Amino acid sequence: MPILNKDMTLCISLAVRPSNIGTRFHNYLYEQLGLNYVYKAFAPADLAQAVAGIRGLPIRGAAVSMPYKEEVIALVDRMDPSAAAIDSVNTIVNDDGVLTAYNTDYLAIARLLADHEVPASSSVLLRGSGGMAKAVAAALRDAGFADVTIVARNEATGRSLADLYGFNWAPEPGEATADLLINVTPLGMAGPDEDAQSFDDETIAAAETVFDVVALPSETPLIRAARGAGKKVITGAEVIAIQAEEQFVLYTGVRPTPEQVREASEFSRS
């Protein structure tokens, strides 16, 4: 990383529980590509003030994590179609004081469903109804998945998301099973919920593929249980690498090679 200097461009992330994953990913690529940038993670004490700081300092861009993906909508100037289509933001780009919101989560989910060759005929239980769940639901719909149940205790948001895409809603998994299980809640995330398993062993046993978008840790209780049951897994580490790559391009205008992205992802978790 270059020595801090007055011309250095700052990018940040805003999260309730910041990790070093994005920080290490971006800073690794800045160094490899010789870019005069630096990346820093923050847990904002006040979201509105933090976003105002992006505009005022100025900060080039910011990654946005749950639960802020919907809250920031009222704080930006423009919504890129990637964010407007699902009312969820994971990236803010600052162009001379004009803040534009994007969503690179959608692209990551769509690419992973294709790369892992998950059949669109699969039945799906999608647990969660927040901003990331919107990106996942949209990617499922656009990939041709039709037999999808949104599992969310919040009936208002759960039903709303299900109705938006013609899916079903349930407050709990109950005895329901599906070919593809997707967790889009904080269950299993480092912190208060780190020991929670978002689907029980019986539900996992009936599935073919288990997908947990939680990135820290990448080996969540759900993923560990799925591996133990011999299921195909898709991890949050895969999601964060792809969406971070797209954020990097938005911030810098530079597209790293697949090898550089792989190395940065490995470094971010080393």
Side-chain angles (χ1 to χ4, degrees):
M1 183 188 302
I3 295 174
L4 291 171
N5 59 79
K6 69 180 180 62
D7 297 316
M8 181 168 277
T9 300
L10 173 63
C11 293
I12 67 173
S13 64
L14 303 175
V16 169
R17 297 177 222 166
S19 78
N20 279 322
I21 294 175
T23 301
R24 290 170 64 85
F25 180 94
H26 286 271
N27 285 323
Y28 179 90
L29 288 176
Y30 297 155
E31 182 174 0
Q32 292 296 307
L33 295 167
L35 300 175
N36 192 26
Y37 278 67
V38 66
Y39 191 100
K40 175 73 172 67
F42 290 94
D46 184 292
L47 182 63
Q49 290 179 357
V51 174
I54 295 171
R55 193 194 313 274
L57 286 175
I59 294 168
R60 170 58 178 159
V64 181
S65 297
M66 56 184 177
Y68 302 132
K69 292 172 184 262
E70 295 162 302
E71 290 183 51
V72 299
I73 292 174
L75 305 174
V76 300
D77 302 307
R78 298 175 181 168
M79 291 282 283
D80 180 78
S82 63
I86 55 178
D87 287 325
S88 178
V89 173
N90 82 326
T91 307
I92 298 172
V93 176
N94 181 6
D95 293 302
D96 298 322
V98 177
L99 304 185
T100 302
Y102 298 80
N103 193 303
T104 65
D105 290 329
Y106 170 90
L107 178 60
I109 300 300
R111 189 188 305 181
L112 287 169
L113 290 171
D115 289 350
H116 286 270
E117 299 180 337
V118 182
S121 58
S122 301
S123 55
V124 183
L125 288 177
L126 170 58
R127 184 158 199 170
S129 59
M132 185 63 170
K134 290 181 178 180
V136 175
L140 288 168
R141 188 275 313 273
D142 292 347
F145 290 80
D147 186 2
V148 178
T149 298
I150 307 297
V151 180
R153 292 180 181 178
N154 186 319
E155 182 173 356
T157 61
R159 282 191 182 277
S160 176
L161 181 58
D163 291 345
L164 181 63
Y165 295 109
F167 297 154
N168 301 310
W169 167 81
E172 294 287 348
E175 298 182 358
T177 60
D179 303 319
L180 173 61
L181 306 178
I182 308 178
N183 175 52
V184 199
T185 74
L187 297 176
M189 181 183 293
D193 304 309
E194 62 187 352
D195 295 324
Q197 186 173 305
S198 52
F199 293 98
D200 62 30
D201 291 340
E202 291 74 18
T203 307
I204 293 169
E208 295 180 3
T209 304
V210 176
F211 188 172
D212 197 340
V213 302
V214 169
L216 186 67
S218 59
E219 293 295 310
T220 61
L222 176 61
I223 291 296
R224 292 198 302 270
R227 290 194 195 278
K231 304 301 178 179
K232 298 176 183 177
V233 300
I234 307 173
T235 70
E238 297 174 80
V239 176
I240 201 169
I242 295 173
Q243 66 87 17
E245 174 190 353
E246 296 305 320
Q247 288 176 331
F248 183 90
V249 175
L250 286 170
Y251 300 153
T252 68
V254 177
R255 171 74 64 180
T257 68
E259 179 66 14
Q260 288 170 331
V261 172
R262 183 189 63 78
E263 291 174 353
S265 183
E266 290 178 355
F267 176 77
S268 72
R269 295 180 174 280
S270 64

